[in-house]
Amino acid sequence: MSTLLPGIVRDAVRTDRLSASVLRHDGEGAPVVLVHGNVSSSLFWQPLMLALPRPTIAIDLRGFGDSEALPVDATRGLADYSDDVASVLDALGIAEAHVVGWSMGGGVVLQLLLARPDLVRSLTLQAPVPPQGFGTRLDGSRCTPDAAGSGGLGANPDFVARLAAGDTTDEAPTSPRSVFRSSYVAPGFSDEHEDLWVASMLTTRTGEDHYPGDGTASEHWPGFAPGDRGVLNAMSAKHLDLTGVVSVPAKPPILWVRGAHDAIVADESFFDLHALGKHGIVPGWPGEEAAPPQPMVAQTRAVLDAYAAAGGSYVEDVFEHAGHAPHLEDPARFAAALLAHVAAAD
């Protein structure tokens, strides 16, 4: 199966940090840079790239797609990824771009704004990781000092094994294809590119340095805490705090897109161990006071409200019939919203 849609070009870009794979589609105007999320790759962006009249660049993060599988230092939060993105833009001679991040990629582009604000003309966040990191309460404080219940040991081991084995079936709820259907998109969604989306998921490198990462024992429920290596630990509150975007001097406009049926980033997501405990799926839950389900959407809104109060601006656009991937589920509406956003920022 060809993984490139007609009109998309793949380039290898060597930077001072890594060898990165980049998808490209030509157009006119300031470029749009697309950053994918966890257990995916740049392949997911192709229909959107073809729908945009602007030059578009989709970057494979380290350990995904065809980019170099370098280890992830989770103690830096998502900075390994954002520094990689910045190095690619520098190598391509792109001084400023409209930057779009999906899921984990939303956190990556917020970290890019913190580290290299000169590169960001506008920001679009699609179903972003909560800026406070995982394992926190609404105010961003950790539920336990070690952010127990988040990080690498929270991944489903059968899902990880099926990723590593290249499973393309739908024989189990934990197969990548089944997870795409149940969690990446809203119930009932289908399109002709599902094999491509599964192929993209299967580019994920697995292990302690990649997905999901390592972990450690904890005295707090559910008995484990984040380690210092790999993808999921990089998004744990032990290492990640993006709330500093509120204080960046130059505040590009932000478009926040989310699906009303998002199963991954939600105020009571079943990808959150605390929510699973509350609903009796993980035993021994210590209760709402000690381990409340994480209000991920409310946390993002709180930080963006503070961003606006400090002189920035944002628009929240809810796709009522979409899940975690509005750009796939309602591509025409997503493209129109993005183009209006970037045009206003030019």
Side-chain angles (χ1 to χ4, degrees):
M1 181 189 70
S2 174
T3 57
L4 294 185
L5 299 181
I8 303 293
V9 175
R10 178 185 280 119
D11 294 324
V13 178
R14 181 75 231 179
T15 81
D16 58 359
R17 292 182 54 80
L18 82 167
S19 177
S21 178
V22 174
L23 300 188
R24 177 174 51 81
H25 183 250
D26 293 335
E28 298 294 330
V32 175
V33 173
L34 305 163
V35 181
H36 66 81
N38 191 19
V39 191
S40 64
S41 75
S42 62
L43 298 177
F44 268 96
W45 291 118
Q46 292 183 89
L48 177 64
M49 296 173 73
L50 294 171
L52 297 178
R54 290 173 176 263
T56 53
I57 297 162
I59 301 169
D60 281 334
L61 299 175
R62 62 171 61 194
F64 299 95
D66 290 321
S67 282
E68 192 173 356
L70 297 177
V72 176
D73 179 0
T75 66
R76 304 187 69 226
L78 294 169
D80 269 357
Y81 294 126
S82 62
D83 286 353
D84 290 348
V85 169
S87 75
V88 170
L89 299 185
D90 289 343
L92 293 174
I94 296 173
E96 191 178 34
H98 300 284
V99 185
V100 182
W102 174 31
S103 196
M104 181 180 77
V108 173
V109 300
L110 286 173
Q111 180 62 51
L112 183 69
L113 176 60
L114 284 168
R116 290 287 305 275
D118 55 297
L119 292 174
V120 183
R121 181 177 293 190
S122 75
L123 204 58
T124 298
L125 308 174
Q126 178 180 238
V129 57
Q132 299 85 346
F134 289 111
T136 56
R137 303 175 186 275
L138 177 60
D139 64 0
S141 61
R142 299 183 196 177
C143 296
T144 64
D146 58 358
S150 66
L153 296 182
N156 185 301
D158 192 59
F159 175 61
V160 178
R162 289 175 182 275
L163 278 177
D167 181 6
T168 62
T169 74
D170 60 0
E171 66 181 18
T174 50
S175 74
R177 189 179 299 273
S178 296
V179 170
F180 171 79
R181 292 174 180 173
S182 66
S183 303
Y184 281 44
V185 292
F189 173 81
S190 64
D191 71 7
E192 72 274 25
H193 297 305
E194 183 177 274
D195 288 346
L196 179 56
W197 312 145
V198 174
S200 177
M201 296 171 72
L202 292 174
T203 67
T204 303
R205 279 46 155 223
T206 58
E208 291 189 336
D209 281 325
H210 305 292
Y211 177 82
D214 65 352
T216 187
S218 173
E219 63 180 320
H220 304 286
W221 182 89
F224 67 84
D228 294 335
R229 299 156 59 195
V231 176
L232 293 187
N233 297 313
M235 291 185 280
S236 165
K238 178 182 178 183
H239 302 303
L240 185 67
D241 181 2
L242 301 168
T243 59
V245 296
V246 171
S247 302
V248 294
K251 293 181 168 63
I254 295 177
L255 171 64
W256 173 27
V257 175
R258 63 182 183 87
H261 301 282
D262 194 335
I264 296 176
V265 176
D267 281 350
E268 200 158 307
S269 166
F270 270 24
F271 282 72
D272 173 15
L273 266 291
H274 290 186
L276 294 177
K278 177 178 179 178
H279 290 275
I281 298 168
V282 176
W285 183 59
E288 195 89 31
E289 183 174 348
Q294 184 161 350
M296 303 178 194
V297 172
Q299 286 181 318
T300 294
R301 187 178 296 113
V303 169
L304 293 181
D305 282 345
Y307 182 86
S313 65
Y314 83 94
V315 172
E316 179 180 356
D317 192 352
V318 182
F319 284 47
E320 295 295 342
H321 303 292
H324 191 61
H327 75 289
L328 295 184
E329 299 169 86
D330 196 343
R333 177 179 166 186
F334 186 92
L338 176 59
L339 286 172
H341 176 62
V342 302
D346 276 342

